[in-house]
Coordinates of all heavy atoms in Angstrom, one line a residue:
F10 N -9.2 -14.1 -15.0 CA -10.0 -15.1 -14.4 C -9.4 -15.8 -13.2 O -8.3 -16.2 -13.3 CB -10.5 -16.2 -15.5 CG -11.5 -17.1 -14.9 CD1 -12.8 -16.8 -14.8 CD2 -11.1 -18.4 -14.5 CE1 -13.8 -17.6 -14.3 CE2 -12.1 -19.4 -14.1 CZ -13.4 -18.9 -14.0
P11 N -10.0 -15.7 -12.0 CA -9.4 -16.4 -10.8 C -9.3 -17.8 -10.8 O -10.1 -18.4 -11.4 CB -10.2 -15.8 -9.7 CG -11.6 -15.6 -10.2 CD -11.3 -15.2 -11.7
S12 N -8.2 -18.3 -10.2 CA -8.1 -19.8 -10.0 C -8.6 -20.3 -8.8 O -8.2 -19.8 -7.6 CB -6.6 -20.3 -10.2 OG -6.4 -21.5 -9.8
P13 N -9.5 -21.3 -8.7 CA -10.0 -21.8 -7.3 C -9.0 -22.4 -6.5 O -9.1 -22.6 -5.3 CB -11.1 -22.8 -7.7 CG -11.0 -23.0 -9.2 CD -10.1 -21.9 -9.7
A14 N -7.8 -22.7 -7.1 CA -6.7 -23.4 -6.3 C -5.9 -22.4 -5.4 O -5.2 -22.7 -4.5 CB -5.7 -24.0 -7.3
D15 N -6.3 -21.2 -5.5 CA -5.6 -20.1 -4.7 C -6.4 -19.6 -3.4 O -6.2 -18.5 -3.0 CB -5.3 -18.9 -5.6 CG -4.4 -19.2 -6.8 OD1 -3.6 -20.1 -6.6 OD2 -4.5 -18.6 -7.8
D16 N -7.2 -20.5 -2.9 CA -8.0 -20.2 -1.7 C -7.3 -20.5 -0.3 O -7.8 -21.1 0.5 CB -9.3 -21.0 -1.8 CG -10.2 -20.6 -3.0 OD1 -10.0 -19.4 -3.4 OD2 -11.0 -21.3 -3.3
F17 N -6.1 -20.0 -0.2 CA -5.4 -20.1 1.0 C -4.6 -18.9 1.4 O -4.3 -18.1 0.6 CB -4.4 -21.4 1.1 CG -3.3 -21.2 0.1 CD1 -2.1 -20.7 0.6 CD2 -3.4 -21.6 -1.2 CE1 -1.0 -20.6 -0.3 CE2 -2.4 -21.5 -2.1 CZ -1.2 -20.9 -1.6
M18 N -4.4 -18.7 2.7 CA -3.6 -17.5 3.2 C -2.2 -18.0 3.5 O -2.0 -19.1 4.1 CB -4.3 -16.9 4.4 CG -5.6 -16.3 4.1 SD -5.5 -14.9 3.0 CE -7.0 -15.0 2.2
D19 N -1.2 -17.1 3.2 CA 0.2 -17.5 3.3 C 0.9 -17.0 4.6 O 1.5 -17.6 5.3 CB 0.9 -17.2 2.1 CG 2.3 -17.8 2.0 OD1 2.5 -18.9 2.6 OD2 3.1 -17.2 1.3
E20 N 0.7 -15.7 4.8 CA 1.4 -14.9 5.9 C 0.5 -13.7 6.2 O -0.5 -13.5 5.7 CB 2.8 -14.5 5.5 CG 2.8 -13.6 4.2 CD 4.3 -13.2 3.9 OE1 4.9 -12.4 4.6 OE2 4.7 -13.7 2.8
A21 N 1.0 -12.9 7.1 CA 0.4 -11.7 7.5 C 1.3 -10.4 7.4 O 2.5 -10.6 7.5 CB -0.1 -11.8 8.9
I22 N 0.7 -9.3 7.1 CA 1.5 -8.1 6.9 C 1.0 -7.0 7.9 O -0.2 -6.8 8.0 CB 1.5 -7.6 5.4 CG1 2.1 -8.6 4.5 CG2 2.0 -6.2 5.3 CD1 2.1 -8.1 3.1
D23 N 1.9 -6.3 8.5 CA 1.5 -5.0 9.2 C 1.8 -3.9 8.2 O 2.9 -3.5 7.9 CB 2.5 -5.0 10.4 CG 2.3 -3.6 11.2 OD1 1.5 -2.8 10.8 OD2 2.9 -3.5 12.3
L24 N 0.6 -3.3 7.8 CA 0.6 -2.3 6.8 C 1.5 -1.1 7.2 O 2.1 -0.4 6.5 CB -0.8 -1.9 6.4 CG -1.6 -2.9 5.7 CD1 -3.0 -2.5 5.5 CD2 -1.0 -3.3 4.4
H25 N 1.4 -0.8 8.6 CA 2.2 0.3 9.1 C 3.7 0.1 8.9 O 4.4 0.9 8.4 CB 1.9 0.6 10.6 CG 2.5 1.8 11.2 ND1 3.7 1.8 11.7 CD2 2.1 3.0 11.2 CE1 4.1 2.9 12.1 NE2 3.1 3.7 11.8
R26 N 4.1 -1.1 9.1 CA 5.6 -1.4 8.9 C 6.0 -1.5 7.5 O 7.1 -1.1 7.1 CB 6.0 -2.7 9.7 CG 6.0 -2.7 11.1 CD 6.4 -3.9 11.8 NE 6.1 -3.9 13.1 CZ 6.8 -3.4 14.1 NH1 7.9 -2.7 13.8 NH2 6.4 -3.5 15.4
L27 N 5.0 -1.9 6.6 CA 5.2 -1.9 5.2 C 5.4 -0.5 4.6 O 6.3 -0.3 3.8 CB 4.1 -2.6 4.5 CG 4.2 -2.7 3.0 CD1 5.3 -3.6 2.6 CD2 2.9 -3.2 2.4
L28 N 4.6 0.5 5.0 CA 4.5 1.7 4.5 C 5.4 2.8 5.2 O 5.8 3.8 4.6 CB 3.1 2.3 4.4 CG 2.2 1.6 3.5 CD1 0.7 2.0 3.7 CD2 2.6 1.7 2.0
V29 N 5.6 2.6 6.5 CA 6.4 3.6 7.3 C 7.7 2.9 7.7 O 7.8 2.1 8.7 CB 5.6 4.1 8.5 CG1 6.4 5.1 9.4 CG2 4.2 4.6 8.0
R30 N 8.8 3.3 7.0 CA 10.1 2.8 7.3 C 10.8 3.5 8.5 O 11.6 2.9 9.2 CB 10.9 2.7 6.0 CG 10.4 1.9 4.9 CD 11.1 2.0 3.6 NE 10.5 1.3 2.6 CZ 10.0 1.9 1.5 NH1 10.1 3.1 1.3 NH2 9.4 1.1 0.6
N31 N 10.6 4.8 8.5 CA 11.2 5.6 9.5 C 10.1 6.6 10.1 O 9.9 7.6 9.6 CB 12.4 6.4 8.9 CG 13.1 7.3 9.9 OD1 12.7 7.5 11.0 ND2 14.2 7.9 9.4
P32 N 9.4 6.1 11.2 CA 8.3 6.8 11.7 C 8.6 8.3 12.1 O 7.7 9.1 11.8 CB 7.9 6.0 13.0 CG 8.5 4.6 12.7 CD 9.8 4.8 11.8
A33 N 9.7 8.5 12.6 CA 10.0 9.9 13.0 C 10.1 10.9 11.9 O 9.9 12.0 12.0 CB 11.3 10.0 13.9
A34 N 10.5 10.3 10.7 CA 10.7 11.2 9.5 C 9.5 11.0 8.5 O 9.6 11.5 7.4 CB 12.0 10.8 8.8
T35 N 8.5 10.3 8.8 CA 7.4 10.0 7.8 C 6.1 10.9 8.1 O 5.7 11.1 9.1 CB 6.9 8.6 7.9 OG1 8.1 7.7 7.7 CG2 5.9 8.1 6.9
F36 N 5.7 11.5 7.0 CA 4.5 12.4 7.0 C 3.6 11.9 5.9 O 4.0 11.3 4.9 CB 4.9 13.8 6.8 CG 5.7 14.4 7.9 CD1 7.0 14.2 8.0 CD2 4.9 15.1 8.9 CE1 7.8 14.8 9.1 CE2 5.7 15.6 9.9 CZ 7.1 15.4 10.0
L37 N 2.3 12.2 6.0 CA 1.3 11.8 5.1 C 0.8 13.1 4.4 O 0.5 14.1 5.0 CB 0.1 11.1 5.7 CG 0.5 9.8 6.4 CD1 -0.6 9.3 7.2 CD2 1.2 8.8 5.6
Y38 N 0.6 13.1 3.1 CA 0.0 14.1 2.3 C -1.1 13.6 1.5 O -1.1 12.4 1.1 CB 1.1 14.7 1.3 CG 2.2 15.5 2.0 CD1 3.3 14.9 2.5 CD2 2.1 16.9 2.0 CE1 4.3 15.6 3.1 CE2 3.2 17.6 2.6 CZ 4.3 17.0 3.1 OH 5.3 17.7 3.6
R39 N -2.2 14.4 1.3 CA -3.3 14.0 0.4 C -3.0 14.6 -0.9 O -2.9 15.8 -1.0 CB -4.6 14.4 1.1 CG -5.9 13.9 0.2 CD -7.1 14.1 0.8 NE -7.2 13.5 2.2 CZ -7.6 12.3 2.4 NH1 -7.8 11.4 1.4 NH2 -7.8 11.9 3.6
A40 N -3.2 13.8 -2.0 CA -3.0 14.4 -3.4 C -4.2 15.2 -3.8 O -5.3 14.8 -3.4 CB -2.7 13.2 -4.3
D41 N -4.0 16.2 -4.5 CA -5.1 17.1 -5.0 C -4.8 17.4 -6.4 O -4.0 18.3 -6.7 CB -5.1 18.4 -4.1 CG -6.1 19.3 -4.5 OD1 -7.1 19.0 -5.1 OD2 -6.0 20.6 -4.2
G42 N -5.5 16.8 -7.3 CA -5.4 17.0 -8.7 C -5.1 15.7 -9.5 O -5.0 14.7 -9.0
W43 N -4.9 15.9 -10.8 CA -4.8 14.8 -11.7 C -3.5 14.8 -12.5 O -3.4 13.9 -13.4 CB -5.9 14.7 -12.6 CG -7.2 14.6 -11.9 CD1 -8.1 15.5 -11.5 CD2 -7.8 13.3 -11.3 NE1 -9.1 15.0 -10.7 CE2 -8.9 13.6 -10.7 CE3 -7.3 12.0 -11.4 CZ2 -9.7 12.7 -10.0 CZ3 -8.1 11.0 -10.8 CH2 -9.2 11.4 -10.0
S44 N -2.4 15.5 -12.1 CA -1.3 15.6 -13.0 C -0.4 14.4 -12.8 O 0.6 14.2 -13.6 CB -0.5 16.9 -12.7 OG 0.3 16.7 -11.4
M45 N -0.6 13.5 -11.8 CA 0.3 12.4 -11.7 C -0.5 11.0 -12.0 O -0.1 10.0 -11.6 CB 0.7 12.2 -10.2 CG 1.6 13.5 -9.8 SD 2.9 13.9 -11.0 CE 4.0 12.5 -10.7
L46 N -1.6 11.1 -12.7 CA -2.4 10.0 -13.1 C -1.6 8.8 -13.7 O -1.8 7.7 -13.5 CB -3.6 10.4 -13.9 CG -4.6 9.4 -14.0 CD1 -5.2 9.0 -12.7 CD2 -5.8 10.0 -14.9
G47 N -0.6 9.3 -14.6 CA 0.2 8.3 -15.3 C 1.1 7.4 -14.5 O 1.6 6.4 -14.9
V48 N 1.3 7.8 -13.2 CA 2.1 6.9 -12.3 C 1.2 6.3 -11.2 O 1.5 5.8 -10.2 CB 3.3 7.7 -11.7 CG1 4.4 7.9 -12.7 CG2 2.9 8.8 -10.8
G49 N -0.1 6.3 -11.5 CA -1.1 5.7 -10.6 C -1.6 6.5 -9.4 O -2.1 6.0 -8.5
I50 N -1.3 7.8 -9.3 CA -1.8 8.7 -8.3 C -3.0 9.5 -8.7 O -3.0 10.2 -9.7 CB -0.6 9.7 -7.8 CG1 0.5 8.8 -7.2 CG2 -1.1 10.6 -6.7 CD1 1.8 9.6 -6.8

């Protein structure tokens, strides 16, 4: 159950900087299948 006292924003995040630590070495793959469901993929 959510608390109404939590209705404020604290900071901002650049999702690219959060997910991509080394742009020149970073690649994206799309998962295909269900064998990794236990780790949330």
Side-chain angles (χ1 to χ4, degrees):
F10 186 73
S12 167
D15 295 332
D16 292 338
F17 64 93
M18 295 296 148
D19 192 28
E20 60 180 291
I22 291 178
D23 177 353
L24 292 175
H25 186 268
R26 291 186 195 275
L27 177 69
L28 294 170
V29 180
R30 297 174 186 119
N31 183 347
T35 301
F36 291 84
L37 304 174
Y38 289 81
R39 186 174 302 277
D41 178 24
W43 296 99
S44 72
M45 299 308 292
L46 195 56
V48 293
I50 296 176

